[in-house]
Amino acid sequence: MTLPNYVSDGAGAGISWCHALRCPRCRGRLRDEEGLRCDACAVTYPVENGIPRFVPPDTYAEGFGYQWNRHRLTQLDSHSGLPITRDRLLRATGWSSEDLHGRTLLECGSGAGRFTEVLCQTGAQVTSFDISSAVQANAASNGRFPNLRLVQASVYEAPFPEESFDYLFCFGVIQHTPDVERTFKTLFRYLRPGGRFCVDVYAAMVAYPHPRQLLRPVTKRIPPARLYSLVDQVVPRLLPLSMALSAVPKAGPYLARLVPVANHRHLGLTDPEMIRNWSVLDTFDWLAPRYERPQPRRRLARWARELGLREFSIRRDRGLYVIGGVK
């Protein structure tokens, strides 16, 4: 099975288009004509740095674009030298490299491409998209993979044919979108019947309260560059306290959460600069998003039933629910 060549190759070495690509507005076919032009509605979408762009430069996800271009390498296994992302992906999904090899996979919300890297290494034919300028960071890090296709688009208006992918993967995304139910249900339009999926979402606040919620009404309104500067100054001062509290037997994880900085003690990072960078990145990631809407397990189960998803399970993984199964 081969990937339809309907978006840029990862290296940006040229654009070759397949009739499968659809206009997000009218679902008409697109052709390469000084960008991508829809034959039906005559709208033209730009292609910049080899990446088709189906959203305007400024969206509600501006902060994500800022953070991932600042921290393009931070969470990549190839940078940390540890299989942190690979282990998390394979553990959460239950998929193996053998399962994915040669299969078409849609990654929704790629960020800087930490999971993209692992997915490409399995030999899957990966189409990855993000609404933010993070696609540029992903291309810079993972453009070496010939089995990667990148697009900048919104999940609500993605330019892919329906029911065209064997696998669907979406981590760290849906709680940060304007309408979580709509996002969750829209994702499955692109997965073929019998295809496998894995999606995660923050667990509802009743299950996972966190003091950052007291700060977010203010911080989410601060321009990304200014907020990042504040976080970059505060984290080195508070992280040692959080680390000390987290070392307290039994109560450590609960005590550490009283300090509103991200603490990755459980990941086994040892390099001080790397520990700091992970903390700065994830603390900013907590405070910057315009939307953060955790979901209860019961609601997720209802949505899955309404979609007719089969063999689905909902598992708790720290502060997340991971939903997996078959369409």
Side-chain angles (χ1 to χ4, degrees):
M1 184 177 297
T2 58
L3 179 70
N5 190 20
Y6 52 77
V7 294
S8 158
D9 68 24
I15 307 297
S16 178
W17 303 104
C18 174
H19 293 301
L21 192 60
R22 294 289 186 266
C23 171
R25 298 188 183 186
C26 73
R27 310 308 294 175
R29 298 186 185 277
L30 300 177
R31 54 191 171 91
D32 187 4
E33 185 179 297
E34 297 183 355
L36 294 180
R37 183 176 175 82
C38 176
D39 286 332
C41 66
V43 172
T44 299
Y45 302 96
V47 177
E48 299 175 4
N49 299 320
I51 302 173
R53 315 284 179 149
F54 292 94
V55 292
D58 297 322
T59 68
Y60 67 84
E62 177 188 6
F64 289 111
Y66 184 89
Q67 77 181 50
W68 293 126
N69 282 289
R70 285 293 300 258
H71 286 269
R72 176 173 72 84
L73 299 175
T74 298
Q75 294 185 332
L76 296 183
D77 285 357
S78 58
H79 177 69
S80 70
L82 298 170
I84 294 171
T85 298
R86 181 178 181 83
D87 288 351
R88 180 182 165 193
L89 187 152
L90 297 180
R91 180 185 69 250
T93 64
W95 304 336
S96 68
S97 295
E98 291 73 21
D99 293 332
L100 295 174
H101 187 82
R103 297 293 183 177
T104 55
L105 181 145
L106 180 64
E107 180 189 20
C108 308
S110 62
R114 64 178 295 197
F115 293 108
T116 311
E117 179 181 60
V118 176
L119 291 167
C120 287
Q121 289 169 344
T122 68
Q125 305 296 324
V126 179
T127 297
S128 182
F129 75 95
D130 198 285
I131 192 174
S132 78
S133 62
V135 291
Q136 296 162 192
N138 196 346
S141 295
N142 295 313
R144 67 188 186 279
F145 291 108
N147 53 326
L148 172 63
R149 306 292 184 263
L150 283 170
V151 179
Q152 185 176 1
S154 165
V155 65
Y156 301 136
E157 296 181 322
F160 312 118
E162 296 187 3
E163 299 187 345
S164 59
F165 292 92
D166 300 318
Y167 284 81
L168 169 68
F169 178 82
C170 181
F171 270 21
V173 175
I174 68 173
Q175 65 268 358
H176 296 309
T177 59
D179 185 334
V180 180
E181 179 177 3
R182 181 186 173 198
T183 301
F184 183 83
K185 292 182 175 179
T186 300
L187 291 174
F188 291 92
R189 291 170 51 186
Y190 309 110
L191 183 66
R192 67 168 177 78
R196 305 199 69 86
F197 65 88
C198 192
V199 179
D200 77 0
V201 62
Y202 286 168
M205 298 314 301
V206 67
Y208 188 64
H210 197 283
R212 70 173 181 263
Q213 299 303 327
L214 300 176
L215 301 174
R216 277 188 40 75
V218 175
T219 60
K220 69 183 182 180
R221 291 178 168 81
I222 300 175
R226 183 181 174 194
L227 177 61
Y228 184 89
S229 179
L230 293 171
V231 170
D232 196 41
Q233 295 174 48
V234 169
V235 163
R237 301 174 186 177
L238 294 184
L239 184 57
L241 173 59
S242 177
M243 295 292 279
L245 291 173
S246 67
V248 175
K250 296 184 179 180
Y254 303 98
L255 294 173
R257 282 169 53 191
L258 298 175
V259 184
V261 297
N263 182 331
H264 296 293
R265 183 186 184 93
H266 64 286
L267 295 181
L269 297 168
T270 57
D271 179 80
E273 183 178 359
M274 198 169 290
I275 292 170
R276 177 189 178 280
N277 285 341
W278 276 70
S279 184
V280 169
L281 168 60
D282 274 2
T283 302
F284 180 86
D285 187 82
W286 286 352
L287 301 176
R290 183 179 304 179
Y291 304 107
E292 183 177 299
R293 292 172 173 153
Q295 300 297 314
R297 182 191 296 266
R298 184 175 299 178
R299 184 178 298 160
L300 296 169
R302 174 168 57 81
W303 294 346
R305 288 193 297 269
E306 288 172 353
L307 288 171
L309 302 179
R310 299 185 287 115
E311 303 174 28
F312 74 86
S313 65
I314 302 175
R315 294 170 285 108
R316 184 71 178 271
D317 184 3
R318 296 177 67 85
L320 301 166
Y321 287 131
V322 179
I323 310 100
V326 179
K327 179 177 177 180

